[in-house]
Amino acid sequence: MASQPTPRDPKRQSTGADLVYDLATTALAVCALPLLPLLSLTRYGRHLRERLSLWPKEARSLQRPLWLHAASVGEVLAADPLIRELKQARPGVPVLLTTTSVPGRDTARQRCAADAVALLPADLWWLTERVVQQVQPRALVLVETELWPALVRSVARRGIPVILASGRISTASVRRYQRIRPLVRAMLQRMDLCLMQSLLDAERICQLGAREERVRVAGNLKFARQASSVLAHSKGGACVQALAEQPLLVAASTHAGEEELVLEAFQRVLEEFPRARLLLAPRRPERFNAVAGLVQQRGLRCQRRSNLGDEGPHPSTRVILLDTVGELVEFLPVAVGVFVGGTFVPEIGGHNVIEPAIFGRPACFGPHTTQVSQPAQQLVEEGGGVRVTSATDLAAVWLAWLHDPALAAAMGERGRVVVGRQTEVARQLAETIWNHLEGASRTP
């Protein structure tokens, strides 16, 4: 009986979109060749060897490493707890970390637990083929949205697993990827596992072509790291305790246009709680003077944090302008509740909404939370946060918390539960990755 031909693994097949991508990137590389001598004379030339896959010896000498890739500084710092968990679970397996940016690489070399660090080569098929053949990784783990078609194809065609960890697909990314959908679909079809930050991210990556059975919601590494970092830097002090003697509301990381809304809401609060105080923390230091002027225009006595001693503000002071950097988290534990800024500014899309919840404080924020969509959605759904759409809404929320401290405390605790679940993300991701890799190795 004639033997049946072995069907080709779709993960390892090249598509028409792959061919077009290779031709386009090769053409760009050829056009760039005359510029390389000039580039080598600039500060960018120092990194040219790594971009051409000529890596440092320590990166080339690892034996079958687990290869993680992160874009830049933020992703490197988020990936570090995952790297530590991966190494703790399998101490004998070396970890190679590559980055897209030079600052990311330098940060990784200083602060990361990886065994070797290098810059990712340009996404040209002959470079990715060379480096994958040289490294022989046991798996490639991409952090957040680091999707490189040639790299993924070079890894997958050798039967090496490709995993997306703490994956995030923003609205802007969906629009961008839709323009090259055949290429993105082919790349996502090669993924063995997509561990996404949220249900929305999972839905979006399936919409772009990932296989549903390979997509899971696994949490946000940055979310988890922020929680640990904030707790580590919160110390408190005499001034903080002095502010705790009267009801304190906080408006954190505000932008132009938001301070007016916050001050209007606070003045409505003062009608019922004349002893309340507002800690106003503009996001940008260069706006401190302008914000101080806005407070004075409304007839409210304002003192700057930099002018306060340990005894705290004057009894008649109603607004404290936080004009120092890095102190905000020290005041959060004594606040009745917190408004998080950047959420009434569409182009900003929100700041760190989990900081109040870390300390068991209820949070409220505006309608624009695209940059913090997962934690904002979780806080609202689980009763740890509230969306507001106007100064009237904000005043009503603040007044509800002041009138009913038990309500504020209960919301804060529900927020703390949301954060608590996220602190285990790195360990759970590491466990999922190792279970998948060891299961795959046993599959005939």
Side-chain angles (χ1 to χ4, degrees):
M1 182 177 176
S3 61
Q4 296 294 320
T6 303
R8 294 182 66 194
D9 184 349
K11 284 175 53 182
R12 307 190 191 190
Q13 295 181 34
S14 293
T15 67
D18 294 323
L19 178 60
V20 171
Y21 180 77
D22 288 345
L23 289 173
T25 53
T26 299
L28 287 172
V30 170
C31 293
L33 280 176
L35 302 177
L36 291 184
L38 293 175
L39 184 63
S40 65
L41 300 176
T42 70
R43 62 189 178 93
Y44 300 103
R46 292 177 296 171
H47 317 297
L48 199 55
R49 287 177 58 84
E50 286 183 62
R51 298 296 191 192
L52 295 176
S53 76
L54 301 173
W55 278 356
K57 182 180 178 180
E58 62 269 20
R60 289 183 282 109
S61 60
L62 297 180
Q63 297 296 311
R64 295 203 64 230
L66 184 62
W67 180 358
L68 273 76
H69 177 67
S72 193
V73 174
E75 291 76 21
V76 165
L77 295 176
D80 187 48
L82 173 60
I83 292 172
R84 293 178 188 277
E85 293 287 350
L86 288 165
K87 288 174 67 66
Q88 183 175 337
R90 304 293 185 277
V93 179
V95 173
L96 167 68
L97 176 65
T98 56
T99 70
T100 305
S101 77
V102 173
R105 180 200 62 183
D106 295 344
T107 299
R109 286 177 175 170
Q110 295 168 7
R111 302 176 59 177
C112 194
D115 296 283
V117 179
L119 288 175
L120 186 73
D123 201 47
L124 300 163
W125 68 269
W126 68 87
L127 292 182
T128 58
E129 287 288 320
R130 168 193 167 93
V131 78
V132 173
Q133 179 63 35
Q134 185 179 62
V135 172
Q136 293 290 314
R138 63 186 66 214
L140 172 65
V141 180
L142 304 168
V143 178
E144 288 211 6
T145 321
E146 280 299 284
L147 302 175
W148 297 97
L151 175 64
V152 170
R153 180 166 22 111
S154 293
V155 173
R157 69 185 293 271
R158 288 172 170 79
I160 299 170
V162 181
I163 298 171
L164 182 62
S166 193
R168 175 175 176 266
I169 305 292
S170 66
T171 304
S173 296
V174 171
R175 288 196 296 266
R176 187 167 60 250
Y177 290 145
Q178 289 283 14
R179 298 172 192 157
I180 51 171
R181 181 167 185 143
L183 179 65
V184 172
R185 177 180 174 80
M187 176 174 53
L188 294 178
Q189 291 280 308
R190 297 182 174 109
M191 295 281 186
D192 291 78
L193 205 55
C194 296
L195 304 172
M196 309 305 291
Q197 293 184 8
S198 69
L199 180 60
L200 183 59
D201 293 308
E203 291 171 350
R204 285 171 174 167
I205 203 166
C206 289
Q207 176 187 345
L208 291 170
R211 299 175 186 270
E212 289 188 19
E213 67 274 13
R214 298 177 182 174
V215 177
R216 304 181 197 172
V217 176
N220 185 336
L221 281 172
K222 280 185 179 176
F223 192 167
R225 180 184 171 274
Q226 285 171 347
S228 301
S229 175
V230 168
L231 285 171
H233 288 86
S234 175
K235 300 172 185 176
C239 181
V240 173
Q241 297 308 313
L243 282 175
E245 294 174 2
Q246 296 183 17
L248 179 68
L249 298 167
V250 173
S253 300
T254 57
H255 288 259
E258 292 185 315
E259 289 91 8
E260 292 90 340
L261 180 150
V262 165
L263 291 170
E264 180 183 341
F266 182 61
Q267 286 187 302
R268 296 188 186 191
V269 168
L270 290 176
E271 295 172 5
E272 298 185 40
F273 290 87
R275 297 181 69 250
R277 284 191 172 129
L278 172 68
L279 181 76
L280 182 54
R283 179 72 173 184
R284 302 293 181 190
E286 62 269 20
R287 299 190 59 247
F288 290 158
N289 290 337
V291 174
L294 289 174
V295 178
Q296 292 170 357
Q297 288 172 18
R298 287 187 170 266
L300 296 169
R301 177 159 181 169
C302 176
Q303 284 185 267
R304 293 178 180 241
R305 167 67 182 100
S306 58
N307 295 331
L308 294 182
D310 288 343
E311 67 276 7
H314 187 276
S316 64
T317 295
R318 301 275 61 87
V319 179
I320 297 91
L321 178 64
L322 189 62
D323 63 345
T324 57
V325 177
E327 277 196 298
L328 177 61
V329 295
E330 298 188 19
F331 294 93
L332 296 182
V334 299
V336 174
V338 181
F339 166 76
V340 181
T343 55
F344 274 92
V345 185
E347 58 269 25
I348 300 297
H351 291 299
N352 193 344
V353 298
I354 71 166
E355 279 187 345
I358 291 168
F359 299 101
R361 301 292 87 197
C364 60
F365 33 84
H368 302 294
T369 54
T370 54
Q371 294 302 312
V372 288
S373 58
Q374 183 214 1
Q377 181 181 348
Q378 283 187 283
L379 287 172
V380 171
E381 289 178 350
E382 303 195 30
V386 181
R387 287 191 190 275
V388 295
T389 59
S390 65
T392 302
D393 285 353
L394 179 57
V397 170
W398 276 350
L399 284 169
W401 291 342
L402 289 165
H403 279 295
D404 191 350
L407 169 66
M411 287 188 65
E413 284 305 310
R414 286 193 287 269
R416 200 198 298 266
V417 169
V418 171
V419 173
R421 286 203 303 269
Q422 293 297 326
T423 58
E424 292 292 306
V425 166
R427 183 187 60 78
Q428 292 167 355
L429 276 173
E431 183 178 319
T432 300
I433 289 169
W434 283 125
N435 287 344
H436 177 80
L437 295 181
E438 290 169 358
S441 67
R442 291 192 296 267
T443 302

